[in-house]
Amino acid sequence: MAAPLATQSLDAGWQFRLAPGDRHAAEHPQAAQWLPATVPGTVQTDLMAAKLVADPYAGDNEAKIQWVGLADWQYRSSFTVDAATLARRHVELVFDGLDTFADVTLNGHKLLAADNMFRRWRVPAKAWLHAGANTLEVTLHSPIARLQPWLLKQPYALPGEFDSAFGDEPEGKQTANYVRKAAYQYGWDWGPRIVTEGIWQNVKLESWDTLRLAGFHVAQPRVDADVAQLQAQLHVVADAAGKAQVTLRWRAPDGGTQSLRRDVALKAGDNEVSLPFEIAHPQRWWPVGYGKPNLYDFHVDVAVDGKTVASADRETGLRSVELLREKDQWGRSFAFVVNGVTIFAKGANFIPMDSFPNRVTPARIADLLQSARDANMNMLRVWGGGYYLEDAFYAEADKLGLMVWQDFMFGGAIPPYDAAFRDNTRAEAIQQVDRLRDHPSIVLWCGNNEVETAWESWGTSLDFKKAQGKAESARVEQGMRELFDHTLRDVVASQSPDVPYWPSTPSSDYDTKANVLDNGDYHYWNVWSGDALPASAYLDVTPRFQSEYGLQSLPSMATLRSVLDPSDLAIDSPVLRAHQKFDKGKGNQRLLMYVEREYGKPKDFAALVYLSQVMQAEGIQLAAEHLRAARPQSMGSLYWQLDDVWPGVTWSSVDYYGRWKALQYHAKRFYAPLRVVAIRKDGRTQVSLVSDRTVPLAAELRVRVLDMDGKTVWEHTQPAQVAALASTPAGDYTDAQLLHGADPHRTVAVFELLDHGKPLSRHLVYFGPAKDLALPDPDLRAELFADGRSLTVSAKNFAREVWVDFGDLDASLSDDAFDLLPGERVTLQVDSKADAAALRKALQLRSLYGATVATP
Ligand code: BMA
């Protein structure tokens, strides 16, 4: 009479209101009445839907939603249970995620007190259920209000991240350190403070009799070209001791199928069942650029007495991953090796795509990851101040061949050292690693973001050590060591031993202090933050792997207009300032400084938007190419940051709506598998041919020096051997050698990599900062083809950073933010819902010429 596990979704029919007695009822009486709730969801999004709070992304509304995260909320739902369900031996209530401090009662009986946003909760419910209507209630406590009275009584508060801008927490007394909840929601330097509460994942009732399949994993202890030695690992919870038959079937990427069957003996309770097997000549998963991202489909059935009672599916890719930590002439390396190939990691850091995780749809994820892939990235780092992402993210990364560096969720705050906090984190880590470990895209588990370096060097930690003394500081430090060097490392070693662990970013894995150039990974912030050095300072650092560095820019006018009134479109307007979180809103002045220092004074606000993106794109390009050219000393470039949490002024290259900034187009070129890099420093230009291809290429290098009006000063072509997986030096020129006496302000050097005459990659070099160049009027022209699907752009004279857009009409272009040599014409593909007439009307063209007031 064995029947399979039955699942009853409890996502429907929820209502919510302010918890009875909450002090916010006086000011928000409507929120004290029962309102429809969306599960999975948040209180904030439901209040928006009920029109009781305004969109916090618009104008300066962020301030007006703060009360929500300071209030306690109550959810309730009524659901029906039938007699058949109640007749099952086990009925369990499962919350895939509660945000965060939640008391759950079923028909008035207290079932659960949850305290970790990142955990799944499963509780036996049969004893409290009855046939017919049942009532489930969830009370959510404001995480700030819950912890603050306790924290204010403590001898100290641990060093935290960003102080609240809204006065709800005293400076330096941050509750966020003490709770397992997404840190960015407390406000970050690129996003608003919106402390969500709610039932943020699915709720269900699961009923079963003989056994439940609690886990299914395909471990890959050894994968190479000849063989994959695998282990199907099943976690079976059995009602009683007995026998079961396990059948494993799989479909290879080429469609071939295989299966194996095994009888197993189960004891009552938890059983770990392991089935070793091999696949000869596996069709391995490769990161993009190195082969196909092949995926196998695995399916398992567990049967009792010939009847299947539990099944599960896993899609996974077979690959080996190693973190290369070799001692060499530069110190100790940090490089990813996948299937034996040492890979230069090219990509960016990923932050949560929304303040409200429930608004992040698989379609938005797919679009964003496609943008990353289209920009020739091969790695994204899921930053530790957010949340462990939805399955769709990793599934999409698997499919696209994007590697994922996965942080555990610690954003930079110093964690408490008590054992209960550590146990809570361990439970979270086991669940999350178990959920994600079959994704071949995940190539690194990393303990935290910047906790090590925060403790070693941030002002707040240095002050803490002074104030609290040696003994207490040693206790705090030991707690972190325990958590990041042992607890999380051990979880990865037991749950995902095929993937490397790294305790923090940046780190040297405790060889030395964190954030050093010669060992481990490195975050470089002395450009933009720190001393606000010009982008040229990127050339002065050559770490083993640069996992963070960034420059801000404004998002497009269309994006700004979506949240700002026309009168707010000024760099110093209070509302634009509310959308700039760096240095308590002072970031807009920093941005202006970076633009003016390099390019001059923008002619108007629209020109500033454009110039800020050009500044960001050219600056990051310099750093990324410097790192690529420095291979193998450097083996990675992940700039800060790929995406946005809201329409704000930030370091992103793709904005909240998915619109590409100039940087994303530049990335597509500077991360291309074959790239000619020409870097000019102190009057010398060094040329490197960078290749991520696994085979060498016999090509040509053409050097042309052009007058900006079109005259060729000189030109030279030579054969060039582009070595595989390498950066090959290909020239070293003084300015005098390039210029041949030409005017440095009106001359540009063009370096091109040619394959049988066809340009594969091109790099321009200028002989001075942008603001000193005497750019000619390029006489730009654009013509849209009748079908509105392609566009030609041409320039009579040299044009730098040509930017084509269609105002508020959305259109993706095959290229943008490009240079045109004198007389050059390019054809771009246009993808838009708008028709040709509308596009033609909205078309705008700009370039550096005329963008500043100083240009003639
Ligand atoms: C880093 C990150 C983030 C931060 C970014 C920009 O150090 O780890 O915490 O948002 O810089 O300042």
Side-chain angles (χ1 to χ4, degrees):
M1 57 131 250
L5 177 139
T7 302
Q8 179 178 347
S9 168
L10 301 185
D11 289 343
W14 288 88
Q15 295 179 301
F16 81 114
R17 65 173 180 185
L18 275 170
D22 187 275
R23 67 186 168 93
H24 297 89
E27 223 181 303
H28 305 279
Q30 284 168 291
Q33 311 300 317
W34 286 110
L35 298 161
T38 312
V39 170
T42 70
V43 169
Q44 281 87 348
T45 37
D46 285 331
L47 288 170
M48 277 189 257
K51 305 245 177 302
L52 295 182
V53 295
D55 174 6
Y57 288 0
D60 53 6
N61 287 345
E62 180 193 354
K64 300 172 199 151
I65 203 171
Q66 295 305 313
W67 68 274
V68 181
L70 298 169
D72 291 353
W73 297 90
Q74 193 179 33
Y75 277 66
R76 77 169 178 200
S77 104
S78 174
F79 62 95
T80 309
V81 174
D82 58 22
T85 301
L86 286 177
R88 305 296 295 261
R89 296 181 65 91
H90 301 265
V91 186
E92 291 159 350
L93 180 63
V94 181
F95 287 93
D96 281 340
L98 288 162
D99 179 13
T100 291
F101 289 113
D103 291 322
V104 179
T105 63
L106 177 61
N107 296 325
H109 296 278
K110 184 158 178 181
L111 276 195
L112 170 69
D115 62 356
N116 184 333
M117 179 182 183
F118 308 126
R119 281 174 68 178
R120 178 187 300 124
W121 308 92
R122 171 183 295 272
V123 278
K126 184 168 162 160
W128 316 114
L129 287 167
H130 36 248
N134 291 267
T135 304
L136 193 53
E137 268 181 17
V138 180
T139 302
L140 294 155
H141 303 275
S142 157
I144 300 164
R146 162 64 70 96
L147 292 170
Q148 195 170 66
W150 168 83
L151 180 60
L152 296 183
K153 273 188 273 173
Q154 301 308 302
Y156 60 75
L158 287 162
E161 289 144 359
F162 299 98
D163 279 314
S164 171
F166 301 97
D168 52 312
E169 289 188 313
E171 216 172 289
K173 301 276 183 195
Q174 296 173 21
T175 55
N177 298 51
Y178 302 89
V179 56
R180 297 304 301 145
K181 173 169 170 62
Y184 78 106
Q185 299 182 326
Y186 292 82
W188 215 264
D189 56 1
W190 35 256
R193 180 174 175 96
I194 304 177
V195 181
T196 58
E197 295 176 52
I199 302 175
W200 79 297
Q201 302 281 346
N202 302 109
V203 190
K204 59 206 168 199
L205 214 52
E206 288 189 352
S207 44
W208 54 281
D209 300 308
T210 45
L211 60 83
R212 177 170 75 79
L213 188 52
F216 172 39
H217 169 50
V218 182
Q220 329 185 354
R222 183 181 154 196
V223 177
D224 59 31
D226 297 331
V227 68
Q229 289 176 354
L230 308 171
Q231 259 171 35
Q233 297 176 352
L234 280 63
H235 175 192
V236 180
V237 186
D239 176 67
K243 286 210 166 65
Q245 301 84 47
V246 176
T247 309
L248 180 71
R249 292 175 227 280
W250 64 92
R251 200 177 55 237
D254 66 7
T257 56
Q258 267 180 277
S259 67
L260 66 88
R261 216 186 127 104
R262 196 71 43 86
D263 288 332
V264 295
L266 299 173
K267 58 184 190 321
D270 290 303
N271 295 266
E272 299 296 341
V273 177
S274 180
L275 272 61
F277 65 107
E278 285 191 0
I279 296 179
H281 308 296
Q283 297 157 49
R284 288 179 290 177
W285 182 90
W286 288 95
V288 56
Y290 296 85
K292 282 194 191 155
N294 286 315
L295 296 172
Y296 281 76
D297 279 322
F298 288 93
H299 176 87
V300 70
D301 288 318
V302 184
V304 174
D305 299 333
K307 196 160 184 241
T308 299
V309 286
S311 305
D313 291 291
R314 276 278 182 262
E315 189 180 45
T316 193
L318 307 178
R319 47 90 183 101
S320 67
V321 193
E322 190 197 331
L323 187 62
L324 200 66
R325 293 280 292 139
E326 267 174 0
K327 294 224 164 96
D328 58 21
Q329 70 207 89
W330 302 288
R332 196 162 175 202
S333 68
F334 184 99
F336 291 90
V337 182
V338 178
N339 296 331
V341 179
T342 308
I343 290 178
F344 189 97
K346 302 177 293 190
N349 287 273
F350 178 96
I351 62 162
M353 295 168 67
D354 211 297
S355 291
F356 310 105
N358 52 306
R359 295 207 300 210
V360 180
T361 59
R364 278 177 69 188
I365 292 170
D367 276 358
L368 183 61
L369 294 192
Q370 190 61 48
S371 285
R373 165 74 194 75
D374 288 346
N376 286 310
M377 297 183 180
N378 61 21
M379 179 180 280
L380 296 176
R381 168 175 163 239
V382 177
W383 166 81
Y387 57 92
Y388 305 92
L389 300 172
E390 29 293 273
D391 296 320
F393 176 91
Y394 304 94
E396 199 61 34
D398 294 346
K399 235 169 53 188
L400 294 174
L402 290 170
M403 295 179 283
V404 174
W405 163 325
Q406 178 67 44
D407 285 1
F408 285 96
M409 292 302 129
F410 291 88
I414 302 303
Y417 56 75
D418 62 279
F421 182 88
R422 203 156 48 237
D423 290 345
N424 196 354
T425 306
R426 181 187 297 106
E428 152 199 328
I430 291 172
Q431 286 185 357
Q432 293 294 345
V433 173
D434 283 3
R435 177 172 71 91
L436 301 176
R437 60 187 168 173
D438 285 287
H439 291 287
S441 51
I442 296 180
V443 295
L444 186 73
W445 297 100
C446 172
N448 63 64
N449 171 68
E450 294 193 344
V451 173
E452 213 177 305
T453 175
W455 180 248
E456 284 171 0
S457 60
W458 290 5
T460 43
S461 285
L462 302 182
D463 292 347
F464 177 92
K465 290 176 203 169
K466 233 181 271 161
Q468 303 309 325
K470 278 219 166 79
E472 188 58 12
S473 299
R475 251 192 297 278
V476 172
E477 189 167 321
Q478 184 51 37
M480 285 188 281
R481 189 73 189 235
E482 193 58 43
L483 183 58
F484 300 118
D485 196 15
H486 300 294
T487 309
L488 295 179
R489 194 189 293 275
D490 292 350
V491 168
V492 173
S494 71
Q495 309 305 111
S496 183
D498 324 326
V499 173
Y501 175 79
W502 190 246
S504 182
T505 176
S507 179
S508 65
D509 202 11
Y510 305 111
D511 280 352
T512 66
K513 67 185 186 53
N515 218 32
V516 292
L517 290 170
D518 60 353
N519 191 337
D521 70 318
Y522 191 73
H523 293 189
Y524 183 67
W525 281 106
N526 221 1
V527 172
W528 181 267
S529 312
D531 301 324
L533 298 178
S536 56
Y538 283 133
L539 303 178
D540 300 335
V541 287
T542 308
R544 309 314 310 267
F545 189 111
Q546 194 154 295
S547 40
E548 277 190 17
Y549 62 100
L551 283 165
Q552 280 202 356
S553 67
L554 286 147
S556 71
M557 289 293 275
T559 294
L560 288 170
R561 277 196 283 260
S562 75
V563 287
L564 266 64
D565 289 335
S567 60
D568 296 322
L569 295 173
I571 194 71
D572 50 3
S573 85
V575 183
L576 188 64
R577 203 183 153 102
H579 285 257
Q580 161 67 267
K581 301 299 186 183
F582 176 75
D583 199 11
K584 305 197 168 101
K586 283 183 263 174
N588 288 341
Q589 292 311 315
R590 173 80 40 113
L591 188 54
L592 193 59
M593 187 272 278
Y594 266 89
V595 167
E596 291 187 348
R597 189 161 61 187
E598 200 65 32
Y599 299 89
K601 202 170 158 40
K603 161 178 93 179
D604 54 23
F605 185 74
L608 170 60
V609 168
Y610 159 77
L611 286 168
S612 75
Q613 293 195 13
V614 166
M615 177 279 294
Q616 178 194 34
E618 294 190 340
I620 298 301
Q621 169 164 344
L622 185 65
E625 294 190 332
H626 162 64
L627 295 166
R628 289 193 73 188
R631 174 187 185 141
Q633 184 179 352
S634 265
M635 284 307 292
S637 155
L638 304 178
Y639 66 74
W640 187 269
Q641 71 204 49
L642 177 68
D643 59 315
D644 266 330
V645 73
W646 78 329
V649 190
T650 76
W651 297 265
S652 71
S653 55
V654 177
D655 77 17
Y656 176 71
Y657 300 106
R659 294 177 181 139
W660 285 29
K661 293 178 174 177
L663 171 54
Q664 191 73 6
Y665 290 101
H666 275 243
K668 184 175 176 174
R669 294 189 288 266
F670 66 64
Y671 280 152
L674 285 170
R675 180 71 184 154
V676 54
V677 173
I679 292 178
R680 180 175 172 273
K681 187 186 177 188
D682 304 329
R684 272 196 109 85
T685 298
Q686 291 195 324
V687 186
S688 314
L689 304 175
V690 177
S691 172
D692 289 338
R693 293 207 183 156
T694 52
V695 288
L697 177 77
E700 290 166 323
L701 176 67
R702 176 164 73 187
V703 186
R704 284 187 285 167
V705 176
L706 307 177
D707 175 285
M708 290 181 184
D709 299 324
K711 213 169 66 244
T712 303
V713 179
W714 69 276
E715 166 168 356
H716 171 76
T717 306
Q718 70 199 52
Q721 292 304 318
V722 187
L725 299 172
S727 165
T728 309
D732 184 349
Y733 302 84
T734 62
D735 283 355
Q737 284 171 320
L738 288 173
L739 284 166
H740 285 66
D743 178 355
H745 298 128
R746 308 185 46 83
T747 305
V748 55
V750 183
F751 297 85
E752 280 166 306
L753 184 63
L754 307 175
D755 185 11
H756 296 94
K758 190 177 128 248
L760 295 173
S761 177
R762 167 164 112 185
H763 205 293
L764 305 192
V765 165
Y766 307 98
F767 299 91
K771 65 175 178 209
D772 295 345
L773 300 181
L775 292 171
D777 180 345
D779 194 6
L780 281 177
R781 314 239 161 161
E783 204 178 321
L784 193 70
F785 283 61
D787 63 359
R789 293 291 156 262
S790 42
L791 175 82
T792 57
V793 186
S794 62
K796 183 159 169 281
N797 299 312
F798 176 67
R800 178 163 169 187
E801 297 291 351
V802 177
W803 183 255
V804 184
D805 73 45
F806 298 92
D808 287 343
L809 288 185
D810 268 319
S812 323
L813 290 166
S814 54
D815 201 5
D816 217 342
F818 51 85
D819 308 308
L820 289 176
L821 301 183
E824 198 173 16
R825 167 192 301 266
V826 292
T827 302
L828 310 178
Q829 306 314 310
V830 184
D831 184 7
S832 177
K833 290 201 180 94
D835 63 28
L839 287 171
R840 194 163 295 122
K841 199 156 159 240
L843 175 70
Q844 295 177 5
L845 274 180
R846 46 174 91 233
S847 73
L848 268 195
Y849 174 80
T852 55
V853 289
T855 318

